[in-house]
Amino acid sequence: MRLRIPLALATAAAALAGCVTVQTATAAPAAARHRAGPEARQQHACSSSVAIRGWSDSLDKTTFRGLPVAGLSALAPDGHGRYVALSDRSALFTLDVARGPVPHARTVGAAPLADANGAPLDSEGLVVRRDGSRLVTSETEPSIGRYAADGTFTGERLPVPAMLRVEPDGRAQRNQTFEGLTAWRGGHRLTASMEGPLRGDGTDGAGRPLVRFQNWRLPKERQPGGQALPVAQWAYPVDDGLAVAEIAAAGDGRLLVLERGYDVATKANTIRLYLADPRRAGDVRDVARLHTGQGGVRPVRKTLLADLGDCPDLGAPNPSPQPNPLLDNIEAMAVAGRAHGRLELLLASDDNESAQQVTRLYRLAVRLPHP
């Protein structure tokens, strides 16, 4: 969804113990960078679980072959050392991203997208499969379509449960549908997250709105004629006033969830990173109205990893008066690496092609709590 977004007011965060060497992020490659020792590493902590390693505005207000590299709503590794970035302006970009703490990037490829009728998509979620095909969500219907690497629609769409369709065909509210997408279990399970609740769904015991996460079992890439099958659906409690912007498989049966919001009065973005554990969640695909206490409604349990408003700003500028100038409308998230029980995340913000916002890449180091 094209939005400005969150206000973040948590307590000052502790150091991320044992975090890899941190390097100060810069807005341009020519800007000064330095390596930091233990004291500086502590200053880079957002919480006891998360540290900001660096940021880069190298993609901001750039174009590639006439296409604005803007409106970035999803990121995914392509399996060949690069990343695919999805623009909600119906385009795919291939990025070379520096491996160091500062995620300096350059665009090396682009492919426009269209639906079966040749119309542009409101594209929000992305998964790159092992065979190189791209699964892309469109928030309009919503839908999930399969595309070749060059952006050609293959004609394949995943079946979407009726209740998740936009009103009046279903109960989904416009611009509140498939915002996040991730694959796990070796690529054979797909999960899409609704951005907001369905009309008529309620809250959990803490008063948090319940949004639905839909799962599919995917056929093997080499299985001709295989069909994706909708399976379990989960209820996820999103913080009041926020929305689910993105999800990513953590690699152990849990999910990373990015929640965001925007306070118009204070012009502040709130970006929170949660770890969600769905392994004991109830299957709610046959539950018409979600309310805690109703039979079968056992929401996903979640743990706050960090409110990114508590990260040090690392000297980042911002064209709008953010309480933390590091933040902008962060929509995209990808797991960039796993080592020694820690994850490296790459995030990207959607500038909405506005002079008052910025396309920014972020690199985070995350230590997950034990299940």
Side-chain angles (χ1 to χ4, degrees):
M1 179 180 180
R2 300 180 64 78
L3 269 195
R4 298 230 13 169
I5 321 199
L7 190 122
L9 301 175
T11 55
L16 178 62
C19 179
V20 295
T21 300
V22 178
Q23 193 173 22
T24 301
T26 57
R33 304 176 184 178
H34 68 272
R35 290 196 176 275
E39 181 178 351
R41 284 201 295 272
Q42 182 171 352
Q43 294 171 355
H44 287 71
C46 309
S47 71
S48 60
S49 299
V50 177
I52 174 76
R53 298 189 64 204
W55 58 271
S56 171
D57 290 353
S58 50
L59 295 176
D60 188 45
K61 307 304 182 282
T62 61
T63 61
F64 185 82
R65 295 177 183 171
L67 291 174
V69 183
L72 302 187
S73 59
L75 286 168
D78 72 351
H80 303 286
R82 290 173 168 171
Y83 288 86
V84 180
L86 176 68
S87 168
D88 57 19
R89 292 298 193 187
S90 201
L92 290 166
F93 295 101
T94 302
L95 307 178
D96 264 338
V97 181
R99 295 178 181 272
V102 177
H104 179 71
R106 65 187 183 96
T107 307
V108 296
L113 295 173
D115 64 15
N117 300 314
L121 309 174
D122 183 0
S123 40
E124 299 288 349
L126 171 70
V127 162
V128 176
R129 301 205 72 193
R130 292 179 180 176
D131 63 0
S133 64
R134 281 76 160 125
L135 296 176
V136 176
T137 72
S138 172
E139 200 175 21
T140 306
E141 307 91 346
S143 66
I144 301 176
R146 188 167 181 165
Y147 291 80
D150 65 359
T152 303
F153 180 49
T154 67
E156 179 184 347
R157 279 190 175 183
L158 274 62
V160 175
M163 70 169 65
L164 302 183
R165 297 172 188 159
V166 170
E167 300 169 317
D169 297 326
R171 291 175 32 229
Q173 303 176 66
R174 193 169 301 278
N175 291 328
Q176 294 288 304
T177 65
F178 291 160
E179 189 79 9
L181 193 69
T182 191
W184 48 294
R185 288 189 180 176
H188 302 312
R189 175 69 69 97
L190 188 75
T191 304
S193 56
M194 299 290 282
E195 184 175 15
L198 300 186
R199 190 81 66 187
D201 278 350
T203 62
D204 71 352
R208 297 174 296 189
L210 293 171
V211 302
R212 297 182 188 243
F213 286 12
Q214 177 62 48
N215 292 277
W216 289 263
R217 185 163 54 244
L218 298 180
K220 296 179 180 180
E221 286 94 333
R222 297 181 180 179
Q223 181 180 339
Q227 298 294 317
L229 178 68
V231 286
Q233 192 181 100
W234 302 318
Y236 175 85
V238 64
D239 289 359
D240 193 29
L242 302 186
V244 177
E246 185 60 287
I247 57 176
D252 60 2
R254 296 180 292 178
L255 297 170
L256 296 161
V257 181
L258 198 65
E259 298 187 18
R260 62 170 185 176
Y262 180 69
D263 188 299
V264 177
T266 62
K267 296 182 172 58
N269 286 285
T270 300
I271 309 292
R272 292 177 186 153
L273 180 65
Y274 279 96
L275 180 64
D277 191 342
R279 289 173 294 187
R280 295 184 180 180
D283 184 354
V284 299
R285 59 183 141 171
D286 295 324
V287 180
R289 300 289 189 273
L290 296 182
H291 297 280
T292 297
Q294 185 175 352
V297 180
R298 295 190 309 278
V300 171
R301 298 181 66 177
K302 71 177 190 177
T303 302
L304 180 65
L305 295 177
D307 187 323
L308 300 191
D310 292 328
C311 296
D313 64 33
L314 302 184
N318 200 298
S320 65
Q322 292 284 330
N324 185 338
L326 179 72
L327 300 187
D328 211 283
N329 177 27
I330 300 176
E331 286 201 21
M333 173 173 62
V335 175
R338 295 181 173 89
H340 310 296
R342 295 178 179 87
L343 299 181
E344 185 176 277
L345 299 185
L346 187 66
L347 310 181
S349 63
D350 173 358
D351 73 342
N352 291 317
E353 299 186 60
S354 166
Q356 298 305 307
Q357 293 181 261
V358 61
T359 298
R360 179 168 289 166
L361 295 179
Y362 308 78
R363 198 180 296 277
L364 302 181
V366 179
R367 185 178 59 191
L368 299 182
H370 291 294

